Amino acid sequence: MTVAVPRRRWPLLLAVLPLLLGLAVYGQLWRGWAAEFETTLADWFPSRRPAVSGFPYRLETTVDAPMLVHEGTVQLRFIADRLRLNRGPWRPELTVMQSEWLKLSAILPGLSPRVQAPAGTASLKLDRDDQGQMRLARLSIVLPNAVGSTGLGPTFQADRLELHGRELEPVAAPPASDPRLPQRGQVVIGAEGLRFGRRGEQGTAISMTGEAKLRAAGRLRDWAAWAAGGGSIDLVLSGRDATGELFALDASIVPLGAGLRLAGTIRTVCPLAVQAALNGTKAAPELRLRAPVQLSLQTYLPTANAPIVQGLPANLAGRPRRAQLPPCPRLA
């Protein structure tokens, strides 16, 4: 016997049916996005098979004890106790990550920087160039309470360290008067509460901002090709305390033999403090200069010798000082 559906229920069923169909279609789409994310994760972590969850608003997974390693002339390593990754379902180009007890390190000719922190966040955005090849659009890393070393000078500790990198496509060829190669990459650095030196012997906390422009004939894919092709790095760093700017570095880095040569100038109102920090010595008490002086800096990395800092004026002791301001801080 057939039971007829009461007429008064048809409007409700008709209203709910499109919603149910929409949810079913979206569920299939979400499952496809999740499968794509799982494929990407399998490439990043070959020994793992992370499962993606987070329906319906996000794609999310957690990896315990992750390790990412890149071998070659430039070696990169990332390890952590735990890493959580997530994406928006319709934004596969952007991955957001939160990690616990992480360590980042690199080994390249002349430098071995490293940093670790109890927690960190990062966002990775990839896109494709005109030839369809994958390109780093942006990598941003934020590390509270970071500890590490640049490989040049003393160790450091920062209340907050930020690193932002991206690959660039040159918009036009440089003018004939500019002998430098086009800019192919950019790294932006920011640090708050930055202290140099071993724990318990650290200098005064300062803030620092900087930028490194990587120049190359082609894409930044191979160290040997970059070095052989005349690659270089333009480096700008500025350090400040609560009173004002302490130093500003403008330097270039070029490959030389099995290492790197760094040469440039430092503009500073605290030349003795800057020189002592770079040389690994203790600075004499010093008041800030009214007008900054310019020092020259050059070093070869790696080297057991301290950077060569020159240019201290012969009349430095008699130059006008800002006695009303706090004295120069000890930087390391």
Side-chain angles (χ1 to χ4, degrees):
M1 183 177 66
T2 303
V3 179
V5 177
R7 288 182 177 273
R8 64 178 179 275
R9 293 188 179 182
W10 276 110
L12 178 60
L13 291 176
L14 290 175
V16 172
L17 185 59
L19 177 61
L20 295 177
L21 290 175
L23 288 175
V25 171
Y26 179 78
Q28 289 298 315
L29 291 173
W30 186 94
R31 188 58 251 173
W33 292 323
E36 181 181 353
F37 193 22
E38 288 172 348
T39 300
T40 300
L41 293 170
D43 291 338
W44 292 354
F45 307 100
S47 62
R48 310 293 181 87
R49 290 294 180 268
V52 173
S53 60
F55 180 84
Y57 303 112
R58 64 187 183 277
L59 306 171
E60 184 175 278
T61 191
T62 299
V63 180
D64 291 327
M67 176 182 293
L68 294 172
V69 178
H70 172 76
E71 299 290 351
T73 305
V74 176
Q75 302 178 33
L76 305 174
R77 182 179 296 268
F78 164 81
I79 60 174
D81 282 2
R82 183 172 290 105
L83 178 65
R84 185 168 65 250
L85 308 96
N86 63 77
R87 287 179 174 178
W90 44 86
R91 295 202 64 185
E93 78 281 0
L94 179 64
T95 305
V96 178
M97 295 165 273
Q98 299 87 32
S99 53
E100 301 175 11
W101 293 107
L102 71 148
K103 295 181 180 180
L104 292 167
S105 62
I107 299 176
L108 59 154
L111 279 177
S112 300
R114 56 180 174 80
V115 65
Q116 64 184 47
T121 59
S123 63
L124 172 65
K125 184 177 181 182
L126 302 172
D127 61 16
R128 296 187 182 276
D129 60 16
D130 295 338
Q131 288 74 42
Q133 296 181 331
M134 199 63 69
R135 184 179 69 96
L136 176 63
R138 186 186 70 250
L139 172 61
S140 296
I141 303 173
V142 179
L143 303 175
N145 301 314
V147 178
S149 171
T150 63
L152 171 64
T155 58
F156 70 83
Q157 181 178 347
D159 294 341
R160 178 183 174 91
L161 176 65
E162 294 189 24
L163 302 170
H164 307 274
R166 59 174 179 159
E167 187 179 0
L168 299 175
E169 288 291 338
V171 295
S177 58
D178 188 352
R180 298 175 300 178
L181 294 173
Q183 184 179 349
R184 295 285 185 169
Q186 179 190 40
V187 177
V188 177
I189 306 166
E192 298 293 335
L194 179 65
R195 298 171 295 279
F196 292 101
R198 294 180 297 179
R199 191 181 297 272
E201 301 178 4
Q202 295 171 331
T204 305
I206 63 172
S207 61
M208 190 172 70
T209 57
E211 178 188 17
K213 297 178 180 179
L214 286 73
R215 299 184 180 274
R219 295 189 64 178
L220 299 169
R221 292 185 173 275
D222 179 76
W223 177 276
W226 174 77
S232 64
I233 302 173
D234 302 335
L235 178 62
V236 176
L237 290 174
S238 175
R240 303 177 59 88
D241 66 1
T243 302
E245 184 179 84
L246 298 169
F247 63 85
L249 169 69
D250 189 348
S252 63
I253 302 173
V254 296
L256 182 63
L260 298 167
R261 179 179 180 270
L262 183 150
T265 60
I266 303 175
R267 187 184 71 252
T268 177
V269 294
C270 297
L272 296 181
V274 169
Q275 184 183 54
L278 291 173
N279 291 342
T281 59
K282 186 176 181 180
E286 178 184 19
L287 292 176
R288 300 167 198 250
L289 293 169
R290 288 190 175 275
V293 298
Q294 183 166 289
L295 309 178
S296 65
L297 168 67
Q298 60 177 328
T299 189
Y300 177 75
L301 306 170
T303 178
N305 301 320
I308 300 174
V309 181
Q310 298 176 331
L312 282 176
N315 64 344
L316 182 62
R319 292 208 170 194
R321 305 278 177 167
R322 294 187 179 274
Q324 75 279 16
L325 297 181
C328 293
R330 181 172 63 87
L331 296 178

